[in-house]
Amino acid sequence: MYLSKLSILQFKNHAEQNFELHPKLNVITGLNGSGKTNILDAIYYLSFCKSYFNTADALNIKRDNDFFVLQGNYHIGEEGVENVLCSLKRNQKKTIKRNQKEYERLTDHIGLFPLVMVSPNDIVLLYEGSEERRKFIDSVIAQYDKNYLHNLLQYNKALQQRNALLKFFIENNRFDAMSLEVWTETLIKCGSYIYTARVQFMNVFQDLVLGTYSHIANQNDNVTIHYESQLATYTYVQGMANSLQRDRSAGLTTFGIHKDDLTFKIDEQPLKKMASQGQQKTFLLALRLAQYSLLRKHCGRPPLLLLDDIYDKLDTLRVANLLQHVVSDAFGQVFITHTNNSMLITTLQQQAIEYKHITL
Protein backbone atom coordinates (compact mmCIF):
# COMPACT_ATOMS: atom_id res chain seq x y z
CA MET A 1 0.00 0.00 0.00
CA TYR A 2 1.20 3.50 -0.80
CA LEU A 3 -0.19 7.01 -1.21
CA SER A 4 0.28 8.11 -4.83
CA LYS A 5 -1.45 11.50 -4.75
CA LEU A 6 -2.15 13.98 -1.96
CA SER A 7 -4.27 17.12 -2.29
CA ILE A 8 -4.49 19.74 0.45
CA LEU A 9 -6.86 22.71 0.46
CA GLN A 10 -7.02 25.31 3.26
CA PHE A 11 -5.47 22.95 5.81
CA LYS A 12 -3.45 24.66 8.55
CA ASN A 13 -0.90 26.94 6.82
CA HIS A 14 -1.36 25.41 3.34
CA ALA A 15 -3.70 27.22 0.94
CA GLU A 16 -3.47 24.63 -1.83
CA GLN A 17 -0.97 21.84 -2.46
CA ASN A 18 -0.96 18.88 -4.83
CA PHE A 19 1.71 16.19 -4.65
CA GLU A 20 2.63 13.19 -6.81
CA LEU A 21 4.41 10.87 -4.40
CA HIS A 22 7.15 8.25 -4.56
CA PRO A 23 5.93 4.73 -3.61
CA LYS A 24 8.93 4.19 -1.31
CA LEU A 25 10.61 7.32 0.12
CA ASN A 26 9.49 10.96 0.16
CA VAL A 27 11.69 13.65 1.69
CA ILE A 28 10.15 17.00 2.69
CA THR A 29 12.55 19.83 3.55
CA GLY A 30 12.04 23.49 4.37
CA LEU A 31 12.54 26.14 7.01
CA ASN A 32 10.79 26.00 10.38
CA GLY A 33 7.20 27.15 9.93
CA SER A 34 7.05 26.27 6.23
CA GLY A 35 4.47 23.51 6.82
CA LYS A 36 6.48 20.28 6.61
CA THR A 37 4.82 18.73 9.65
CA ASN A 38 1.41 19.90 8.46
CA ILE A 39 1.78 17.77 5.33
CA LEU A 40 2.44 14.75 7.51
CA ASP A 41 -0.57 15.67 9.63
CA ALA A 42 -2.75 15.79 6.51
CA ILE A 43 -1.65 12.24 5.66
CA TYR A 44 -2.32 11.21 9.27
CA TYR A 45 -5.80 12.74 9.06
CA LEU A 46 -6.64 10.59 6.02
CA SER A 47 -5.95 7.45 8.07
CA PHE A 48 -7.41 8.42 11.45
CA CYS A 49 -10.09 11.00 10.59
CA LYS A 50 -8.42 13.44 12.97
CA SER A 51 -5.26 15.48 13.44
CA TYR A 52 -2.25 14.07 15.25
CA PHE A 53 -1.84 17.43 17.02
CA ASN A 54 -5.18 19.28 17.28
CA THR A 55 -8.08 17.69 19.15
CA ALA A 56 -10.47 20.40 17.89
CA ASP A 57 -11.05 19.87 14.14
CA ALA A 58 -11.80 23.56 13.50
CA LEU A 59 -8.22 24.45 14.48
CA ASN A 60 -7.04 22.69 11.31
CA ILE A 61 -8.83 25.16 9.01
CA LYS A 62 -6.46 27.73 7.55
CA ARG A 63 -6.86 31.12 9.19
CA ASP A 64 -9.55 33.36 7.67
CA ASN A 65 -11.11 30.44 5.78
CA ASP A 66 -14.29 28.47 6.37
CA PHE A 67 -13.31 24.91 5.40
CA PHE A 68 -10.56 22.48 4.56
CA VAL A 69 -10.43 19.50 2.19
CA LEU A 70 -7.91 16.65 2.14
CA GLN A 71 -7.82 13.97 -0.52
CA GLY A 72 -5.56 10.99 -1.13
CA ASN A 73 -5.28 8.18 -3.66
CA TYR A 74 -3.98 4.88 -2.28
CA HIS A 75 -2.59 2.02 -4.37
CA ILE A 76 -3.40 -1.25 -2.62
CA GLY A 77 -1.94 -4.19 -4.52
CA GLU A 78 -4.42 -6.07 -6.66
CA GLU A 79 -7.31 -4.14 -5.13
CA GLY A 80 -6.42 -1.12 -7.26
CA VAL A 81 -6.73 2.54 -6.28
CA GLU A 82 -8.86 3.78 -3.42
CA ASN A 83 -9.75 7.41 -2.80
CA VAL A 84 -10.18 8.95 0.65
CA LEU A 85 -11.64 12.44 1.14
CA CYS A 86 -11.84 14.35 4.42
CA SER A 87 -13.56 17.71 4.60
CA LEU A 88 -14.79 20.09 7.26
CA LYS A 89 -16.82 23.29 7.14
CA ARG A 90 -16.63 25.54 10.16
CA ASN A 91 -19.41 24.82 12.68
CA GLN A 92 -20.48 21.72 10.76
CA LYS A 93 -19.86 17.99 11.06
CA LYS A 94 -16.78 16.66 9.24
CA THR A 95 -17.23 14.37 6.28
CA ILE A 96 -15.11 11.29 5.56
CA LYS A 97 -15.62 9.45 2.26
CA ARG A 98 -13.99 6.34 0.85
CA ASN A 99 -14.46 5.94 -2.89
CA GLN A 100 -17.15 8.66 -2.84
CA LYS A 101 -19.18 6.82 -0.17
CA GLU A 102 -19.61 8.56 3.17
CA TYR A 103 -19.10 6.60 6.38
CA GLU A 104 -21.96 6.16 8.82
CA ARG A 105 -19.42 5.50 11.60
CA LEU A 106 -15.90 6.92 11.50
CA THR A 107 -14.63 3.93 13.47
CA ASP A 108 -15.24 1.79 10.36
CA HIS A 109 -12.38 3.66 8.66
CA ILE A 110 -9.77 3.07 11.37
CA GLY A 111 -7.25 0.41 10.36
CA LEU A 112 -8.03 0.37 6.64
CA PHE A 113 -5.02 2.58 5.88
CA PRO A 114 -2.59 1.77 8.71
CA LEU A 115 -0.07 4.42 9.61
CA VAL A 116 2.66 5.11 12.15
CA MET A 117 3.67 8.67 13.04
CA VAL A 118 7.06 9.41 14.63
CA SER A 119 7.25 12.92 16.06
CA PRO A 120 9.30 14.93 18.58
CA ASN A 121 5.98 15.08 20.47
CA ASP A 122 6.49 11.40 21.33
CA ILE A 123 8.55 12.62 24.28
CA VAL A 124 5.24 12.80 26.20
CA LEU A 125 5.39 8.99 26.36
CA LEU A 126 8.34 9.36 28.72
CA TYR A 127 7.48 12.51 30.68
CA GLU A 128 3.69 12.78 30.85
CA GLY A 129 1.21 10.71 32.86
CA SER A 130 0.09 7.13 32.32
CA GLU A 131 -2.82 8.22 30.10
CA GLU A 132 -0.37 8.98 27.26
CA ARG A 133 1.12 5.50 27.43
CA ARG A 134 -2.31 3.84 27.52
CA LYS A 135 -3.33 5.89 24.49
CA PHE A 136 -0.22 4.62 22.73
CA ILE A 137 -1.14 0.98 23.38
CA ASP A 138 -4.76 1.60 22.39
CA SER A 139 -3.80 3.36 19.14
CA VAL A 140 -1.79 0.32 18.03
CA ILE A 141 -4.25 -2.45 18.93
CA ALA A 142 -7.30 -0.53 17.67
CA GLN A 143 -5.85 -0.43 14.15
CA TYR A 144 -5.97 -4.21 13.79
CA ASP A 145 -8.66 -5.27 16.28
CA LYS A 146 -12.11 -3.76 15.72
CA ASN A 147 -13.48 -5.53 18.81
CA TYR A 148 -10.82 -3.84 20.92
CA LEU A 149 -11.88 -0.41 19.69
CA HIS A 150 -15.55 -1.25 20.34
CA ASN A 151 -14.83 -2.48 23.87
CA LEU A 152 -12.63 0.53 24.59
CA LEU A 153 -15.36 2.97 23.55
CA GLN A 154 -17.92 1.09 25.64
CA TYR A 155 -15.55 0.95 28.61
CA ASN A 156 -14.83 4.69 28.53
CA LYS A 157 -18.54 5.48 28.33
CA ALA A 158 -19.34 3.18 31.26
CA LEU A 159 -16.44 4.58 33.30
CA GLN A 160 -17.70 8.12 32.77
CA GLN A 161 -21.23 7.13 33.82
CA ARG A 162 -20.07 5.18 36.86
CA ASN A 163 -17.87 8.03 38.06
CA ALA A 164 -20.72 10.51 37.61
CA LEU A 165 -22.98 8.24 39.66
CA LEU A 166 -20.40 7.87 42.46
CA LYS A 167 -20.03 11.64 42.59
CA PHE A 168 -23.83 12.02 42.69
CA PHE A 169 -24.01 9.62 45.65
CA ILE A 170 -21.49 11.71 47.62
CA GLU A 171 -23.19 15.01 46.82
CA ASN A 172 -26.65 13.68 47.78
CA ASN A 173 -25.59 11.48 50.69
CA ARG A 174 -27.22 8.37 49.27
CA PHE A 175 -26.24 5.07 47.62
CA ASP A 176 -27.99 2.78 45.12
CA ALA A 177 -26.06 -0.47 44.59
CA MET A 178 -28.25 -1.69 41.71
CA SER A 179 -27.75 1.48 39.66
CA LEU A 180 -24.00 1.26 40.13
CA GLU A 181 -23.91 -2.47 39.28
CA VAL A 182 -25.16 -1.81 35.73
CA TRP A 183 -22.01 0.16 34.90
CA THR A 184 -19.77 -2.12 36.96
CA GLU A 185 -20.81 -5.12 34.85
CA THR A 186 -19.96 -3.26 31.64
CA LEU A 187 -16.53 -2.31 33.01
CA ILE A 188 -15.84 -5.94 33.95
CA LYS A 189 -16.95 -7.31 30.57
CA CYS A 190 -15.18 -4.75 28.37
CA GLY A 191 -12.20 -4.30 30.67
CA SER A 192 -11.47 -8.04 30.71
CA TYR A 193 -11.29 -8.09 26.90
CA ILE A 194 -9.03 -5.03 26.85
CA TYR A 195 -6.68 -6.45 29.49
CA THR A 196 -6.31 -9.77 27.66
CA ALA A 197 -5.58 -7.97 24.39
CA ARG A 198 -3.00 -5.72 26.05
CA VAL A 199 -1.21 -8.70 27.62
CA GLN A 200 -1.06 -10.49 24.27
CA PHE A 201 0.20 -7.31 22.62
CA MET A 202 2.94 -6.75 25.20
CA ASN A 203 4.16 -10.35 25.01
CA VAL A 204 5.25 -9.68 21.43
CA PHE A 205 5.88 -5.95 21.58
CA GLN A 206 8.58 -5.95 24.26
CA ASP A 207 11.01 -8.08 22.25
CA LEU A 208 10.37 -6.04 19.11
CA VAL A 209 11.19 -2.79 20.92
CA LEU A 210 14.43 -4.08 22.42
CA GLY A 211 15.62 -5.59 19.13
CA THR A 212 14.89 -2.40 17.20
CA TYR A 213 16.60 -0.26 19.84
CA SER A 214 19.81 -2.29 19.59
CA HIS A 215 19.77 -2.04 15.78
CA ILE A 216 19.45 1.76 15.70
CA ALA A 217 21.78 2.44 18.65
CA ASN A 218 24.33 -0.10 17.39
CA GLN A 219 24.99 -1.04 21.01
CA ASN A 220 23.41 -3.14 23.74
CA ASP A 221 22.09 -0.75 26.39
CA ASN A 222 20.24 -2.48 29.23
CA VAL A 223 16.80 -1.16 28.29
CA THR A 224 13.57 -2.73 29.55
CA ILE A 225 9.84 -2.16 29.11
CA HIS A 226 7.18 -3.49 31.50
CA TYR A 227 3.38 -3.52 31.49
CA GLU A 228 1.80 -2.76 34.87
CA SER A 229 -1.83 -3.50 35.64
CA GLN A 230 -3.96 -4.07 38.73
CA LEU A 231 -5.40 -7.05 36.81
CA ALA A 232 -2.09 -8.88 37.27
CA THR A 233 -2.99 -9.24 40.97
CA TYR A 234 -6.79 -9.49 41.05
CA THR A 235 -9.48 -10.69 38.68
CA TYR A 236 -11.83 -7.96 37.50
CA VAL A 237 -14.66 -9.20 39.72
CA GLN A 238 -12.40 -9.36 42.78
CA GLY A 239 -10.83 -5.98 42.10
CA MET A 240 -14.14 -4.17 41.66
CA ALA A 241 -15.56 -5.76 44.81
CA ASN A 242 -12.47 -4.92 46.88
CA SER A 243 -12.44 -1.29 45.75
CA LEU A 244 -16.15 -0.52 46.21
CA GLN A 245 -15.79 1.28 49.55
CA ARG A 246 -12.75 3.18 48.26
CA ASP A 247 -14.70 4.17 45.15
CA ARG A 248 -17.59 5.46 47.25
CA SER A 249 -15.23 7.59 49.35
CA ALA A 250 -13.24 8.92 46.39
CA GLY A 251 -16.23 9.48 44.11
CA LEU A 252 -14.54 7.69 41.22
CA THR A 253 -13.56 4.23 40.01
CA THR A 254 -10.16 3.28 41.44
CA PHE A 255 -9.72 -0.20 39.93
CA GLY A 256 -9.47 -1.18 36.29
CA ILE A 257 -7.59 -1.04 33.02
CA HIS A 258 -7.82 2.77 33.03
CA LYS A 259 -5.06 2.61 35.66
CA ASP A 260 -2.67 0.54 33.50
CA ASP A 261 0.78 1.91 32.71
CA LEU A 262 4.11 1.14 31.00
CA THR A 263 7.45 1.58 32.76
CA PHE A 264 10.63 2.22 30.76
CA LYS A 265 14.05 1.63 32.34
CA ILE A 266 17.73 1.68 31.47
CA ASP A 267 20.16 -0.13 33.79
CA GLU A 268 17.18 -0.72 36.13
CA GLN A 269 16.65 3.06 36.53
CA PRO A 270 13.87 5.25 35.05
CA LEU A 271 14.78 5.89 31.44
CA LYS A 272 13.52 9.48 31.53
CA LYS A 273 16.00 10.32 34.34
CA MET A 274 19.07 8.26 33.47
CA ALA A 275 19.16 8.04 29.65
CA SER A 276 20.82 10.64 27.44
CA GLN A 277 18.71 12.58 24.93
CA GLY A 278 20.04 10.35 22.16
CA GLN A 279 19.12 7.20 24.10
CA GLN A 280 15.64 8.57 24.82
CA LYS A 281 15.07 9.45 21.17
CA THR A 282 16.35 6.04 20.07
CA PHE A 283 13.99 4.32 22.52
CA LEU A 284 10.99 6.32 21.28
CA LEU A 285 11.91 5.43 17.70
CA ALA A 286 12.11 1.78 18.72
CA LEU A 287 8.60 2.00 20.20
CA ARG A 288 7.21 3.36 16.96
CA LEU A 289 9.08 0.99 14.66
CA ALA A 290 8.00 -1.97 16.79
CA GLN A 291 4.46 -0.64 16.43
CA TYR A 292 5.04 -0.63 12.66
CA SER A 293 6.15 -4.29 12.66
CA LEU A 294 3.05 -5.39 14.58
CA LEU A 295 0.68 -3.44 12.35
CA ARG A 296 2.23 -4.87 9.20
CA LYS A 297 1.78 -8.39 10.56
CA HIS A 298 -1.82 -7.94 11.69
CA CYS A 299 -3.09 -5.67 8.90
CA GLY A 300 -1.58 -7.69 6.07
CA ARG A 301 -0.19 -4.58 4.37
CA PRO A 302 2.73 -2.25 5.13
CA PRO A 303 1.59 0.87 7.01
CA LEU A 304 2.71 4.33 5.96
CA LEU A 305 5.59 5.58 8.10
CA LEU A 306 5.87 9.31 8.88
CA LEU A 307 9.15 10.52 10.39
CA ASP A 308 8.99 14.14 11.51
CA ASP A 309 12.27 16.03 12.11
CA ILE A 310 14.51 13.00 11.66
CA TYR A 311 17.70 14.56 13.07
CA ASP A 312 16.06 15.70 16.32
CA LYS A 313 18.50 14.58 19.09
CA LEU A 314 20.06 11.86 16.91
CA ASP A 315 23.69 11.80 15.77
CA THR A 316 24.66 11.07 12.17
CA LEU A 317 25.42 7.38 12.83
CA ARG A 318 22.02 6.72 14.37
CA VAL A 319 20.27 8.55 11.51
CA ALA A 320 22.21 6.45 8.98
CA ASN A 321 21.22 3.26 10.83
CA LEU A 322 17.61 4.43 10.94
CA LEU A 323 17.52 5.20 7.21
CA GLN A 324 19.01 1.83 6.32
CA HIS A 325 16.36 0.21 8.50
CA VAL A 326 13.29 2.00 7.10
CA VAL A 327 14.18 1.64 3.41
CA SER A 328 14.54 -2.13 3.75
CA ASP A 329 11.96 -4.51 2.31
CA ALA A 330 10.32 -4.73 5.75
CA PHE A 331 8.92 -1.21 5.25
CA GLY A 332 6.55 0.32 2.74
CA GLN A 333 6.15 4.01 1.93
CA VAL A 334 8.10 6.42 4.14
CA PHE A 335 7.84 10.21 4.60
CA ILE A 336 10.69 12.14 6.23
CA THR A 337 10.89 15.83 7.16
CA HIS A 338 13.98 17.86 8.01
CA THR A 339 14.99 21.52 8.09
CA ASN A 340 18.52 20.92 6.74
CA ASN A 341 18.33 20.09 3.06
CA SER A 342 22.01 19.31 2.43
CA MET A 343 22.54 17.13 5.55
CA LEU A 344 19.71 14.70 4.81
CA ILE A 345 20.24 14.61 1.04
CA THR A 346 23.94 13.89 1.52
CA THR A 347 23.12 10.95 3.80
CA LEU A 348 20.64 9.56 1.28
CA GLN A 349 23.05 9.93 -1.63
CA GLN A 350 25.86 8.26 0.29
CA GLN A 351 23.63 5.24 0.81
CA ALA A 352 22.33 5.31 -2.81
CA ILE A 353 18.71 5.52 -1.67
CA GLU A 354 16.08 6.45 -4.29
CA TYR A 355 13.61 9.12 -3.16
CA LYS A 356 11.42 12.07 -4.14
CA HIS A 357 12.39 15.47 -2.74
CA ILE A 358 9.68 18.02 -1.88
CA THR A 359 10.92 21.48 -0.91
CA LEU A 360 8.79 24.13 0.78
Side-chain angles (χ1 to χ4, degrees):
M1 181 190 77
Y2 68 92
L3 182 62
S4 61
K5 293 182 179 180
L6 174 66
S7 297
I8 300 174
L9 183 64
Q10 311 295 1
F11 183 77
K12 294 192 169 181
N13 72 323
H14 292 288
E16 184 173 6
Q17 298 277 13
N18 294 282
F19 302 106
E20 300 280 342
L21 301 169
H22 192 283
K24 187 63 178 177
L25 179 60
N26 296 272
V27 175
I28 307 169
T29 61
L31 299 175
N32 288 329
S34 59
K36 303 182 299 299
T37 300
N38 292 341
I39 294 175
L40 298 189
D41 200 25
I43 299 171
Y44 183 92
Y45 208 112
L46 290 171
S47 283
F48 289 95
C49 309
K50 64 179 182 180
S51 166
Y52 180 82
F53 300 99
N54 294 330
T55 55
D57 285 311
L59 295 177
N60 300 304
I61 300 175
K62 190 175 186 297
R63 184 177 298 177
D64 299 325
N65 287 272
D66 296 322
F67 68 95
F68 75 75
V69 179
L70 304 173
Q71 192 164 194
N73 287 348
Y74 294 83
H75 286 250
I76 308 179
E78 297 178 356
E79 299 175 35
V81 179
E82 297 208 0
N83 177 270
V84 177
L85 182 144
C86 302
S87 63
L88 175 72
K89 291 184 179 179
R90 200 177 296 278
N91 300 321
Q92 294 187 25
K93 183 181 177 181
K94 63 185 169 186
T95 299
I96 313 294
K97 294 182 180 180
R98 177 187 172 204
N99 299 328
Q100 289 76 55
K101 184 178 180 180
E102 186 172 354
Y103 284 99
E104 293 183 6
R105 300 181 306 175
L106 296 185
T107 54
D108 291 338
H109 184 73
I110 307 304
L112 294 179
F113 304 92
L115 178 150
V116 174
M117 176 81 156
V118 182
S119 164
N121 280 25
D122 288 339
I123 197 69
V124 300
L125 293 173
L126 296 183
Y127 286 94
E128 296 298 326
S130 59
E131 180 181 3
E132 295 293 338
R133 292 178 286 279
R134 287 193 299 275
K135 284 167 57 179
F136 168 74
I137 300 175
D138 295 338
S139 69
V140 182
I141 304 176
Q143 285 195 72
Y144 63 78
D145 186 345
K146 292 291 186 183
N147 288 329
Y148 184 91
L149 180 58
H150 172 75
N151 277 278
L152 185 63
L153 293 173
Q154 291 295 106
Y155 184 93
N156 289 336
K157 178 181 178 181
L159 180 64
Q160 183 180 33
Q161 294 293 333
R162 190 175 190 272
N163 286 345
L165 197 55
L166 287 166
K167 183 178 180 181
F168 174 81
F169 291 155
I170 291 176
E171 292 174 345
N172 292 272
N173 195 27
R174 56 169 292 192
F175 180 69
D176 183 346
M178 291 185 63
S179 297
L180 196 67
E181 185 63 21
V182 172
W183 302 114
T184 301
E185 289 178 357
T186 301
L187 292 184
I188 292 172
K189 175 178 176 293
C190 297
S192 297
Y193 183 97
I194 293 167
Y195 174 68
T196 300
R198 287 178 178 176
V199 169
Q200 293 172 346
F201 163 76
M202 288 303 302
N203 286 341
V204 178
F205 187 67
Q206 293 176 77
D207 290 339
L208 286 173
V209 172
L210 302 184
T212 305
Y213 180 95
S214 296
H215 181 85
I216 299 173
N218 204 29
Q219 61 191 48
N220 293 317
D221 295 329
N222 182 23
V223 174
T224 58
I225 175 174
H226 181 66
Y227 172 46
E228 295 183 343
S229 177
Q230 295 168 324
L231 274 298
T233 305
Y234 300 101
T235 67
Y236 232 113
V237 174
Q238 291 171 334
M240 294 300 290
N242 293 344
S243 65
L244 179 57
Q245 291 304 318
R246 185 167 62 249
D247 293 354
R248 292 180 60 181
S249 298
L252 51 84
T253 306
T254 59
F255 181 91
I257 53 94
H258 59 286
K259 297 292 185 179
D260 289 357
D261 200 359
L262 297 177
T263 56
F264 309 134
K265 293 185 178 181
I266 184 168
D267 294 329
E268 300 301 324
Q269 299 297 319
L271 190 139
K272 67 179 181 181
K273 294 182 179 179
M274 302 304 296
S276 68
Q277 288 188 332
Q279 288 172 319
Q280 290 181 10
K281 178 68 174 183
T282 302
F283 181 78
L284 292 171
L285 278 168
L287 286 179
R288 291 299 187 184
L289 296 182
Q291 171 188 353
Y292 185 98
S293 297
L294 272 178
L295 287 178
R296 176 163 187 156
K297 175 184 177 181
H298 286 286
C299 296
R301 59 179 60 162
L304 302 186
L305 178 62
L306 314 184
L307 295 165
D308 191 22
D309 198 0
I310 189 173
Y311 277 91
D312 178 58
K313 298 181 178 64
L314 288 183
D315 57 37
T316 303
L317 176 61
R318 293 188 188 219
V319 170
N321 289 339
L322 174 63
L323 288 173
Q324 285 182 339
H325 191 59
V326 301
V327 298
S328 68
D329 292 338
F331 288 81
Q333 190 177 34
V334 180
F335 293 81
I336 294 175
T337 69
H338 186 43
T339 54
N340 190 313
N341 184 336
S342 59
M343 186 182 296
L344 179 55
I345 300 305
T346 297
T347 304
L348 292 169
Q349 291 175 345
Q350 287 174 345
Q351 300 191 45
I353 297 173
E354 184 180 347
Y355 63 95
K356 175 163 186 179
H357 187 192
I358 299 170
T359 57
L360 299 178

